[in-house]
Amino acid sequence: MKIITNSAQDTITVGFKLGSLLNAGDRVCLYGELGSGKTTLIKGIAEAFGINRRDITSASFTIIAEYETQKAANIPFYHIDLYRLDNVQTIEETGFFDYPGPDGVCVIEWAERVRGLIDCTLCVQINCLDGDQREIIIEGVDETHWHNH
């Protein structure tokens, strides 16, 4: 499924809708160049879990950020940013491969770093177009469910 957004707010709205479809155990892999809007999309996903978008920042320095949520049975929400990790051994040392577990939801920025090493429930590619316009390609979502949700 391909969606074109025209602003950061549009991207957040797509993220919120995406977040509302996620369940415990889901892993969302985000792909895109620096500045493409991955963290912006995560702000929307997090809002669907009752997390204030202001609380979501680039996790580049913390690598793994865990948030308590208000969705369902307080499903843990993990925001993982692999930007600063350049090899599988370093990634493994963070405990990355233990996330999300059966009870949490995990959203991974720079999933290129672990391509082929993990299973993703959803794959999201974000491409910069003109100005604030973004092309968001989501794989793993039933379009009928997306439009009826």
PDB file of all heavy atoms in Angstrom, residues 1 6 15 20 42 44 49 66-67 78 83 87 95-96 99 108-109 111 116 118 122 128 139 148-149:
ATOM      1  N   MET A   1       0.843  -1.165   0.000  1.00  0.00           N
ATOM      2  CA  MET A   1       0.000   0.000   0.000  1.00  0.00           C
ATOM      3  C   MET A   1       0.897   1.238   0.000  1.00  0.00           C
ATOM      4  O   MET A   1       1.888   1.284   0.732  1.00  0.00           O
ATOM      5  CB  MET A   1      -0.885  -0.029   1.252  1.00  0.00           C
ATOM      6  CG  MET A   1      -1.716   1.194   1.411  1.00  0.00           C
ATOM      7  SD  MET A   1      -2.958   1.086   2.718  1.00  0.00           S
ATOM      8  CE  MET A   1      -1.960   0.785   4.123  1.00  0.00           C
ATOM      9  N   ASN A   6       1.605  15.146   2.800  1.00  0.00           N
ATOM     10  CA  ASN A   6       2.042  16.473   2.383  1.00  0.00           C
ATOM     11  C   ASN A   6       2.598  17.318   3.522  1.00  0.00           C
ATOM     12  O   ASN A   6       2.966  18.469   3.309  1.00  0.00           O
ATOM     13  CB  ASN A   6       0.886  17.219   1.709  1.00  0.00           C
ATOM     14  CG  ASN A   6       0.489  16.535   0.409  1.00  0.00           C
ATOM     15  OD1 ASN A   6       1.323  16.363  -0.478  1.00  0.00           O
ATOM     16  ND2 ASN A   6      -0.757  16.116   0.306  1.00  0.00           N
ATOM     17  N   GLY A  15       0.760   7.429  10.920  1.00  0.00           N
ATOM     18  CA  GLY A  15       1.322   6.660  12.017  1.00  0.00           C
ATOM     19  C   GLY A  15       0.269   6.267  13.035  1.00  0.00           C
ATOM     20  O   GLY A  15       0.241   5.124  13.512  1.00  0.00           O
ATOM     21  N   SER A  20      -2.974   2.030  15.478  1.00  0.00           N
ATOM     22  CA  SER A  20      -4.259   1.485  15.933  1.00  0.00           C
ATOM     23  C   SER A  20      -4.479   0.057  15.441  1.00  0.00           C
ATOM     24  O   SER A  20      -5.329  -0.654  15.969  1.00  0.00           O
ATOM     25  CB  SER A  20      -5.412   2.392  15.495  1.00  0.00           C
ATOM     26  OG  SER A  20      -5.571   2.350  14.088  1.00  0.00           O
ATOM     27  N   ILE A  42       6.645   7.530  13.923  1.00  0.00           N
ATOM     28  CA  ILE A  42       6.582   6.865  15.231  1.00  0.00           C
ATOM     29  C   ILE A  42       5.787   7.705  16.228  1.00  0.00           C
ATOM     30  O   ILE A  42       5.079   7.159  17.077  1.00  0.00           O
ATOM     31  CB  ILE A  42       7.992   6.546  15.754  1.00  0.00           C
ATOM     32  CG1 ILE A  42       8.624   5.464  14.878  1.00  0.00           C
ATOM     33  CG2 ILE A  42       7.952   6.074  17.210  1.00  0.00           C
ATOM     34  CD1 ILE A  42      10.087   5.201  15.155  1.00  0.00           C
ATOM     35  N   GLY A  44       3.131   9.324  15.655  1.00  0.00           N
ATOM     36  CA  GLY A  44       1.737   8.961  15.420  1.00  0.00           C
ATOM     37  C   GLY A  44       1.412   7.573  15.934  1.00  0.00           C
ATOM     38  O   GLY A  44       0.356   7.352  16.540  1.00  0.00           O
ATOM     39  N   PHE A  49      -1.136   4.533  21.106  1.00  0.00           N
ATOM     40  CA  PHE A  49      -0.940   3.772  22.352  1.00  0.00           C
ATOM     41  C   PHE A  49      -1.119   4.654  23.586  1.00  0.00           C
ATOM     42  O   PHE A  49      -0.820   4.243  24.703  1.00  0.00           O
ATOM     43  CB  PHE A  49       0.453   3.131  22.366  1.00  0.00           C
ATOM     44  CG  PHE A  49       0.538   1.919  21.497  1.00  0.00           C
ATOM     45  CD1 PHE A  49       0.741   2.039  20.133  1.00  0.00           C
ATOM     46  CD2 PHE A  49       0.386   0.647  22.034  1.00  0.00           C
ATOM     47  CE1 PHE A  49       0.793   0.919  19.317  1.00  0.00           C
ATOM     48  CE2 PHE A  49       0.432  -0.471  21.228  1.00  0.00           C
ATOM     49  CZ  PHE A  49       0.639  -0.338  19.874  1.00  0.00           C
ATOM     50  N   GLU A  66      11.725   2.508  26.117  1.00  0.00           N
ATOM     51  CA  GLU A  66      10.503   1.778  26.466  1.00  0.00           C
ATOM     52  C   GLU A  66       9.501   2.759  27.060  1.00  0.00           C
ATOM     53  O   GLU A  66       9.857   3.612  27.876  1.00  0.00           O
ATOM     54  CB  GLU A  66      10.816   0.678  27.476  1.00  0.00           C
ATOM     55  CG  GLU A  66       9.592  -0.103  27.887  1.00  0.00           C
ATOM     56  CD  GLU A  66       9.885  -1.225  28.873  1.00  0.00           C
ATOM     57  OE1 GLU A  66      11.068  -1.513  29.126  1.00  0.00           O
ATOM     58  OE2 GLU A  66       8.930  -1.812  29.384  1.00  0.00           O
ATOM     59  N   TYR A  67       8.245   2.621  26.640  1.00  0.00           N
ATOM     60  CA  TYR A  67       7.187   3.501  27.114  1.00  0.00           C
ATOM     61  C   TYR A  67       6.038   2.665  27.658  1.00  0.00           C
ATOM     62  O   TYR A  67       5.677   1.640  27.079  1.00  0.00           O
ATOM     63  CB  TYR A  67       6.645   4.372  25.967  1.00  0.00           C
ATOM     64  CG  TYR A  67       7.679   5.252  25.339  1.00  0.00           C
ATOM     65  CD1 TYR A  67       8.455   4.793  24.280  1.00  0.00           C
ATOM     66  CD2 TYR A  67       7.900   6.538  25.807  1.00  0.00           C
ATOM     67  CE1 TYR A  67       9.429   5.603  23.698  1.00  0.00           C
ATOM     68  CE2 TYR A  67       8.861   7.350  25.231  1.00  0.00           C
ATOM     69  CZ  TYR A  67       9.614   6.882  24.173  1.00  0.00           C
ATOM     70  OH  TYR A  67      10.568   7.676  23.601  1.00  0.00           O
ATOM     71  N   TYR A  78       8.060  -0.204  22.485  1.00  0.00           N
ATOM     72  CA  TYR A  78       9.502  -0.043  22.374  1.00  0.00           C
ATOM     73  C   TYR A  78       9.835   0.690  21.080  1.00  0.00           C
ATOM     74  O   TYR A  78       9.398   0.291  20.007  1.00  0.00           O
ATOM     75  CB  TYR A  78      10.198  -1.413  22.364  1.00  0.00           C
ATOM     76  CG  TYR A  78       9.879  -2.251  23.566  1.00  0.00           C
ATOM     77  CD1 TYR A  78       8.931  -3.260  23.489  1.00  0.00           C
ATOM     78  CD2 TYR A  78      10.517  -2.024  24.781  1.00  0.00           C
ATOM     79  CE1 TYR A  78       8.628  -4.031  24.606  1.00  0.00           C
ATOM     80  CE2 TYR A  78      10.223  -2.792  25.894  1.00  0.00           C
ATOM     81  CZ  TYR A  78       9.273  -3.790  25.802  1.00  0.00           C
ATOM     82  OH  TYR A  78       8.975  -4.547  26.904  1.00  0.00           O
ATOM     83  N   TYR A  83      20.486   3.488  14.253  1.00  0.00           N
ATOM     84  CA  TYR A  83      21.331   4.357  13.429  1.00  0.00           C
ATOM     85  C   TYR A  83      22.804   4.287  13.805  1.00  0.00           C
ATOM     86  O   TYR A  83      23.672   4.205  12.953  1.00  0.00           O
ATOM     87  CB  TYR A  83      20.825   5.804  13.520  1.00  0.00           C
ATOM     88  CG  TYR A  83      21.654   6.773  12.729  1.00  0.00           C
ATOM     89  CD1 TYR A  83      21.608   6.755  11.334  1.00  0.00           C
ATOM     90  CD2 TYR A  83      22.488   7.699  13.345  1.00  0.00           C
ATOM     91  CE1 TYR A  83      22.364   7.641  10.586  1.00  0.00           C
ATOM     92  CE2 TYR A  83      23.253   8.585  12.608  1.00  0.00           C
ATOM     93  CZ  TYR A  83      23.184   8.550  11.236  1.00  0.00           C
ATOM     94  OH  TYR A  83      23.942   9.422  10.495  1.00  0.00           O
ATOM     95  N   ASN A  87      27.127  -2.920  13.302  1.00  0.00           N
ATOM     96  CA  ASN A  87      27.356  -4.341  13.036  1.00  0.00           C
ATOM     97  C   ASN A  87      26.464  -5.194  13.942  1.00  0.00           C
ATOM     98  O   ASN A  87      25.990  -4.735  14.975  1.00  0.00           O
ATOM     99  CB  ASN A  87      28.837  -4.713  13.189  1.00  0.00           C
ATOM    100  CG  ASN A  87      29.342  -4.547  14.606  1.00  0.00           C
ATOM    101  OD1 ASN A  87      28.870  -5.211  15.518  1.00  0.00           O
ATOM    102  ND2 ASN A  87      30.311  -3.653  14.791  1.00  0.00           N
ATOM    103  N   GLY A  95      20.794  -6.272  23.448  1.00  0.00           N
ATOM    104  CA  GLY A  95      19.632  -7.082  23.798  1.00  0.00           C
ATOM    105  C   GLY A  95      18.516  -6.952  22.778  1.00  0.00           C
ATOM    106  O   GLY A  95      17.402  -7.430  22.978  1.00  0.00           O
ATOM    107  N   PHE A  96      18.815  -6.307  21.663  1.00  0.00           N
ATOM    108  CA  PHE A  96      17.827  -6.022  20.621  1.00  0.00           C
ATOM    109  C   PHE A  96      16.993  -7.242  20.236  1.00  0.00           C
ATOM    110  O   PHE A  96      15.775  -7.149  20.074  1.00  0.00           O
ATOM    111  CB  PHE A  96      18.528  -5.458  19.376  1.00  0.00           C
ATOM    112  CG  PHE A  96      17.664  -5.439  18.163  1.00  0.00           C
ATOM    113  CD1 PHE A  96      16.736  -4.433  17.992  1.00  0.00           C
ATOM    114  CD2 PHE A  96      17.749  -6.438  17.201  1.00  0.00           C
ATOM    115  CE1 PHE A  96      15.903  -4.414  16.874  1.00  0.00           C
ATOM    116  CE2 PHE A  96      16.931  -6.428  16.079  1.00  0.00           C
ATOM    117  CZ  PHE A  96      16.011  -5.411  15.926  1.00  0.00           C
ATOM    118  N   TYR A  99      13.498  -8.176  21.768  1.00  0.00           N
ATOM    119  CA  TYR A  99      12.323  -7.312  21.644  1.00  0.00           C
ATOM    120  C   TYR A  99      11.474  -7.710  20.455  1.00  0.00           C
ATOM    121  O   TYR A  99      12.000  -8.126  19.446  1.00  0.00           O
ATOM    122  CB  TYR A  99      12.763  -5.849  21.500  1.00  0.00           C
ATOM    123  CG  TYR A  99      13.349  -5.294  22.763  1.00  0.00           C
ATOM    124  CD1 TYR A  99      14.712  -5.394  23.017  1.00  0.00           C
ATOM    125  CD2 TYR A  99      12.545  -4.703  23.705  1.00  0.00           C
ATOM    126  CE1 TYR A  99      15.261  -4.896  24.190  1.00  0.00           C
ATOM    127  CE2 TYR A  99      13.082  -4.207  24.884  1.00  0.00           C
ATOM    128  CZ  TYR A  99      14.439  -4.306  25.114  1.00  0.00           C
ATOM    129  OH  TYR A  99      14.968  -3.822  26.271  1.00  0.00           O
ATOM    130  N   ILE A 108      11.109  -0.166  14.897  1.00  0.00           N
ATOM    131  CA  ILE A 108      12.553  -0.109  14.693  1.00  0.00           C
ATOM    132  C   ILE A 108      12.914   0.852  13.568  1.00  0.00           C
ATOM    133  O   ILE A 108      12.518   0.648  12.419  1.00  0.00           O
ATOM    134  CB  ILE A 108      13.105  -1.510  14.347  1.00  0.00           C
ATOM    135  CG1 ILE A 108      12.694  -2.511  15.411  1.00  0.00           C
ATOM    136  CG2 ILE A 108      14.622  -1.468  14.165  1.00  0.00           C
ATOM    137  CD1 ILE A 108      12.793  -3.951  14.952  1.00  0.00           C
ATOM    138  N   GLU A 109      13.678   1.893  13.914  1.00  0.00           N
ATOM    139  CA  GLU A 109      14.241   2.780  12.892  1.00  0.00           C
ATOM    140  C   GLU A 109      15.565   2.199  12.415  1.00  0.00           C
ATOM    141  O   GLU A 109      16.293   1.589  13.176  1.00  0.00           O
ATOM    142  CB  GLU A 109      14.500   4.173  13.474  1.00  0.00           C
ATOM    143  CG  GLU A 109      13.246   4.932  13.827  1.00  0.00           C
ATOM    144  CD  GLU A 109      13.544   6.380  14.152  1.00  0.00           C
ATOM    145  OE1 GLU A 109      14.076   7.099  13.274  1.00  0.00           O
ATOM    146  OE2 GLU A 109      13.246   6.788  15.284  1.00  0.00           O
ATOM    147  N   ALA A 111      15.982  -0.206  10.243  1.00  0.00           N
ATOM    148  CA  ALA A 111      15.860  -1.665  10.233  1.00  0.00           C
ATOM    149  C   ALA A 111      16.745  -2.303   9.165  1.00  0.00           C
ATOM    150  O   ALA A 111      16.947  -3.516   9.177  1.00  0.00           O
ATOM    151  CB  ALA A 111      14.395  -2.063  10.036  1.00  0.00           C
ATOM    152  N   GLY A 116      16.897  -9.351   7.178  1.00  0.00           N
ATOM    153  CA  GLY A 116      17.179 -10.765   7.021  1.00  0.00           C
ATOM    154  C   GLY A 116      17.469 -11.480   8.335  1.00  0.00           C
ATOM    155  O   GLY A 116      17.567 -12.701   8.358  1.00  0.00           O
ATOM    156  N   ILE A 118      15.652 -10.653  11.317  1.00  0.00           N
ATOM    157  CA  ILE A 118      14.439 -10.647  12.129  1.00  0.00           C
ATOM    158  C   ILE A 118      13.218 -10.720  11.229  1.00  0.00           C
ATOM    159  O   ILE A 118      13.287 -10.414  10.037  1.00  0.00           O
ATOM    160  CB  ILE A 118      14.345  -9.379  13.012  1.00  0.00           C
ATOM    161  CG1 ILE A 118      14.310  -8.118  12.141  1.00  0.00           C
ATOM    162  CG2 ILE A 118      15.470  -9.324  14.027  1.00  0.00           C
ATOM    163  CD1 ILE A 118      13.955  -6.855  12.886  1.00  0.00           C
ATOM    164  N   LEU A 122       5.197  -5.672   9.992  1.00  0.00           N
ATOM    165  CA  LEU A 122       4.981  -4.664   8.956  1.00  0.00           C
ATOM    166  C   LEU A 122       6.320  -4.066   8.560  1.00  0.00           C
ATOM    167  O   LEU A 122       7.185  -3.837   9.413  1.00  0.00           O
ATOM    168  CB  LEU A 122       4.090  -3.525   9.467  1.00  0.00           C
ATOM    169  CG  LEU A 122       2.694  -3.885   9.940  1.00  0.00           C
ATOM    170  CD1 LEU A 122       2.025  -2.671  10.558  1.00  0.00           C
ATOM    171  CD2 LEU A 122       1.864  -4.408   8.792  1.00  0.00           C
ATOM    172  N   CYS A 128      11.511  10.574   0.748  1.00  0.00           N
ATOM    173  CA  CYS A 128      11.325  12.014   0.621  1.00  0.00           C
ATOM    174  C   CYS A 128      10.943  12.332  -0.825  1.00  0.00           C
ATOM    175  O   CYS A 128      11.579  11.840  -1.757  1.00  0.00           O
ATOM    176  CB  CYS A 128      12.611  12.756   0.972  1.00  0.00           C
ATOM    177  SG  CYS A 128      13.129  12.559   2.663  1.00  0.00           S
ATOM    178  N   GLU A 139       4.050  -2.493   3.817  1.00  0.00           N
ATOM    179  CA  GLU A 139       3.864  -3.898   3.444  1.00  0.00           C
ATOM    180  C   GLU A 139       3.436  -4.673   4.679  1.00  0.00           C
ATOM    181  O   GLU A 139       4.013  -4.500   5.752  1.00  0.00           O
ATOM    182  CB  GLU A 139       5.169  -4.487   2.903  1.00  0.00           C
ATOM    183  CG  GLU A 139       5.637  -3.853   1.617  1.00  0.00           C
ATOM    184  CD  GLU A 139       6.963  -4.421   1.151  1.00  0.00           C
ATOM    185  OE1 GLU A 139       7.424  -5.428   1.702  1.00  0.00           O
ATOM    186  OE2 GLU A 139       7.540  -3.825   0.226  1.00  0.00           O
ATOM    187  N   ASN A 148     -11.141   0.281   6.397  1.00  0.00           N
ATOM    188  CA  ASN A 148     -12.344   0.091   7.232  1.00  0.00           C
ATOM    189  C   ASN A 148     -12.082   0.332   8.703  1.00  0.00           C
ATOM    190  O   ASN A 148     -12.967   0.180   9.518  1.00  0.00           O
ATOM    191  CB  ASN A 148     -12.892  -1.341   7.039  1.00  0.00           C
ATOM    192  CG  ASN A 148     -13.462  -1.527   5.651  1.00  0.00           C
ATOM    193  OD1 ASN A 148     -13.962  -0.575   5.057  1.00  0.00           O
ATOM    194  ND2 ASN A 148     -13.373  -2.735   5.147  1.00  0.00           N
ATOM    195  N   HIS A 149     -10.862   0.664   9.040  1.00  0.00           N
ATOM    196  CA  HIS A 149     -10.511   0.838  10.471  1.00  0.00           C
ATOM    197  C   HIS A 149     -10.603   2.281  10.882  1.00  0.00           C
ATOM    198  O   HIS A 149     -10.325   3.192  10.232  1.00  0.00           O
ATOM    199  CB  HIS A 149      -9.089   0.300  10.709  1.00  0.00           C
ATOM    200  CG  HIS A 149      -8.829   0.101  12.164  1.00  0.00           C
ATOM    201  ND1 HIS A 149      -8.307   1.085  12.940  1.00  0.00           N
ATOM    202  CD2 HIS A 149      -9.027  -0.962  12.974  1.00  0.00           C
ATOM    203  CE1 HIS A 149      -8.169   0.628  14.170  1.00  0.00           C
ATOM    204  NE2 HIS A 149      -8.607  -0.604  14.216  1.00  0.00           N
TER     205      HIS A 149
END
